[in-house]
Amino acid sequence: MLFDTKRHQPLTATLWDQNIVENEIASIIDDIEQSMLPHACWPTHPLDAESYPRSGPKWSAYAGAAGAIHGLQILKNYGYDVHDLSHLLEDVHSSFIKSPDVSVEPGLQIGEIGILVPRLLAEPDNQEVSQYLLKCMEATVDLPLYEITSGQSGMMHAALALYRKSGKHHWKDVFVKGAKSLVDNWIQDVQTGQWLWQSQVFGPKRHYYGACHGVTGNANILLQGADLLPLGYVEMIIKRTVATLNVSAKQKGSLANWALCTKPDIDKLLVQWCHGAAGIVTAMARTPVIDTPESKQLDKLLDKTAELVWQAGPLLKGSNICHGTSGNGYAFLYLYQRTGDPVWLERAKKFAMHAIEQCRAARLHYGQGRYTLWTGDVGLAIYLYHCMHPSKAAIPGLDIF
């Protein structure tokens, strides 16, 4: 088997219903707004308390207040009736500095960058925030991380978004510095021929494949900003990445998946955004289509990988983006954008209906919502919107800010 059946559950029989979808988005927004506590935070969900056991409120973009506020910003930009809580981000940042709930590295998902970016989006002329954020971004360049949560590639997503929005060249410059760090530390394994990064995130040194910590996540951001990099980088990045994916893929018939990492070899086969098939699709589906053998090989791999996400079914872990049904559904939305094949949009909508049921069941079981962007309900709300407007589909806090 290319996936662990115990991590998945049968797909709901409930058919797509846009009224149900819109009502769920409204319900999530209302729950977030009604459940906010004093001092700009929300009740910590028991599952987030288990995963990140430091006591006290959560502040980060990944599983804390900054992500909830940023998610509401995105929904407001999509036209929803949302109370803009951006003014609270100054307090969120101060609270994070005083009592960090996660790593103190200045990263996108679990550090200061993810708190400061939505604040700067709300206050684009705030030079103090801009300069402090730039300093945080610069601080990631030489870290031995090479991934999204705390490292260069996460910083680069934010820097690229700010450059595209503002045209200010200091964001371009720090993106290019991050890209140089990635390329300089992209090493070919002499035994297998794979091109790998040695990421030291969370302590151990590992060579990951997935969208969050690995080869495909790094290749994705290099390709998204390739117009800012030297000529020839697109072909080089595609050639190295596809060669690595071809060598390392676990394939059976029309399905493909990848192990968690190599060196050390951890042969766990996950089907999530953060690790495994779903994230590999979202990371690589926006790769430019060029007339090379590697580009054609990539399209075949993406079809096989997305088919595995479908065959595996919704994730038992819940409705969230990072390691839940919404994140896997984004694989279908991204492939629909790439191919135009309506089957992928239909599958994304089926996962959406299942995710709604998961969210409602979890709210009843735990007696509260999950007030986070990557692990919780606001991420689901944005995914539901994207199922109705698939041309806009982009993972929030990463591909859209």
Side-chain angles (χ1 to χ4, degrees):
M1 292 292 291
L2 298 184
F3 59 90
D4 183 351
T5 57
K6 293 190 290 294
R7 292 178 176 270
H8 299 266
Q9 58 188 201
L11 182 65
T12 181
T14 305
L15 299 177
W16 171 261
D17 186 322
Q18 188 156 321
N19 289 328
I20 293 175
V21 172
E22 288 283 19
N23 287 337
E24 185 62 22
I25 294 173
S27 175
I28 288 171
I29 292 171
D30 182 65
D31 186 34
I32 293 171
E33 293 182 343
Q34 296 297 321
S35 300
M36 191 175 70
L37 301 172
H39 310 297
C41 64
W42 279 266
T44 300
H45 195 276
L47 295 177
D48 292 317
E50 287 177 11
S51 300
Y52 300 92
R54 292 190 191 182
S55 61
K58 308 300 181 189
W59 307 111
S60 69
Y62 181 76
I69 294 170
H70 189 195
L72 291 179
Q73 281 182 339
I74 293 170
L75 290 169
K76 186 175 181 64
N77 289 337
Y78 284 148
Y80 286 94
D81 183 14
V82 173
H83 290 97
D84 188 354
L85 302 178
S86 302
H87 62 283
L88 298 174
L89 287 164
E90 182 177 3
D91 290 339
V92 170
H93 186 227
S94 297
S95 297
F96 176 84
I97 296 296
K98 291 175 185 175
S99 181
D101 54 307
V102 285
S103 167
V104 294
E105 290 157 350
L108 175 65
Q109 288 188 327
I110 57 174
E112 291 183 81
I113 292 173
I115 301 172
L116 293 167
V117 169
R119 185 178 173 194
L120 187 62
L121 292 173
E123 306 172 43
D125 298 323
N126 191 323
Q127 291 303 308
E128 183 179 354
V129 172
S130 179
Q131 290 169 11
Y132 189 95
L133 172 57
L134 184 61
K135 182 181 177 181
C136 288
M137 290 182 169
E138 296 270 7
T140 70
V141 171
D142 294 323
L143 295 174
L145 302 178
Y146 319 114
E147 54 85 62
I148 281 171
T149 60
S150 301
Q152 294 84 342
S153 51
M155 174 276 286
M156 290 163 64
H157 275 279
L160 185 63
L162 291 171
Y163 175 65
R164 301 289 195 217
K165 288 176 182 289
S166 71
K168 293 180 178 178
H169 281 267
H170 51 268
W171 305 124
K172 172 185 174 181
D173 293 343
V174 74
F175 175 90
V176 172
K177 289 179 183 178
K180 185 178 187 303
S181 177
L182 287 184
V183 173
D184 287 350
N185 289 279
W186 199 1
I187 308 299
Q188 187 174 32
D189 186 285
V190 294
Q191 294 179 324
T192 66
Q194 298 178 63
W195 287 88
L196 301 166
W197 278 275
Q198 180 177 270
S199 172
Q200 203 171 335
V201 67
F202 309 131
K205 296 179 180 180
R206 292 176 178 170
H207 299 69
Y208 292 97
Y209 293 111
C212 191
H213 307 299
V215 173
T216 53
N218 292 346
N220 174 32
I221 190 56
L222 288 170
L223 290 168
Q224 296 312 308
D227 58 306
L228 310 182
L229 304 176
L231 291 175
Y233 264 46
V234 170
E235 286 193 34
M236 179 268 285
I237 295 162
I238 294 174
K239 186 173 183 178
R240 289 184 179 185
T241 307
V242 174
T244 300
L245 291 176
N246 275 329
V247 169
S248 56
K250 312 288 186 183
Q251 300 192 55
K252 184 176 182 181
S254 62
L255 307 178
N257 199 3
W258 284 263
L260 186 75
C261 65
T262 185
K263 289 185 174 258
D265 182 14
I266 300 179
D267 205 28
K268 186 185 291 185
L269 291 166
L270 300 177
V271 188
Q272 302 174 175
W273 171 79
C274 49
H275 295 293
I280 285 174
V281 175
T282 61
M284 299 307 297
R286 293 187 172 184
T287 300
V289 178
I290 58 177
D291 188 18
T292 65
E294 290 82 10
S295 185
K296 294 172 183 175
Q297 290 168 15
L298 177 61
D299 281 323
K300 292 179 181 177
L301 275 177
L302 288 175
D303 279 339
K304 288 185 173 184
T305 309
E307 183 62 31
L308 179 123
V309 177
W310 174 249
Q311 294 292 335
L315 279 157
L316 193 63
K317 281 190 171 183
S319 62
N320 65 81
I321 292 175
C322 183
H323 41 264
T325 300
S326 296
N328 286 19
Y330 268 117
F332 305 141
L333 288 179
Y334 275 49
L335 205 53
Y336 173 70
Q337 288 179 339
R338 184 176 180 88
T339 68
D341 188 338
V343 71
W344 298 118
L345 180 57
E346 292 170 11
R347 290 177 174 183
K349 289 180 173 180
K350 289 177 179 177
F351 268 42
M353 300 308 294
H354 191 96
I356 289 171
E357 293 180 5
Q358 287 180 304
C359 182
R360 291 176 175 177
R363 199 176 295 144
L364 287 172
H365 178 76
Y366 291 103
Q368 68 167 86
R370 199 169 183 180
Y371 310 107
T372 68
L373 179 59
W374 283 93
T375 67
D377 302 347
V378 70
L380 166 61
I382 296 168
Y383 171 67
L384 296 176
Y385 175 85
H386 286 149
C387 285
M388 295 185 289
H389 305 276
S391 65
K392 298 180 182 180
I395 294 178
L398 190 71
D399 293 332
I400 187 172
F401 285 87

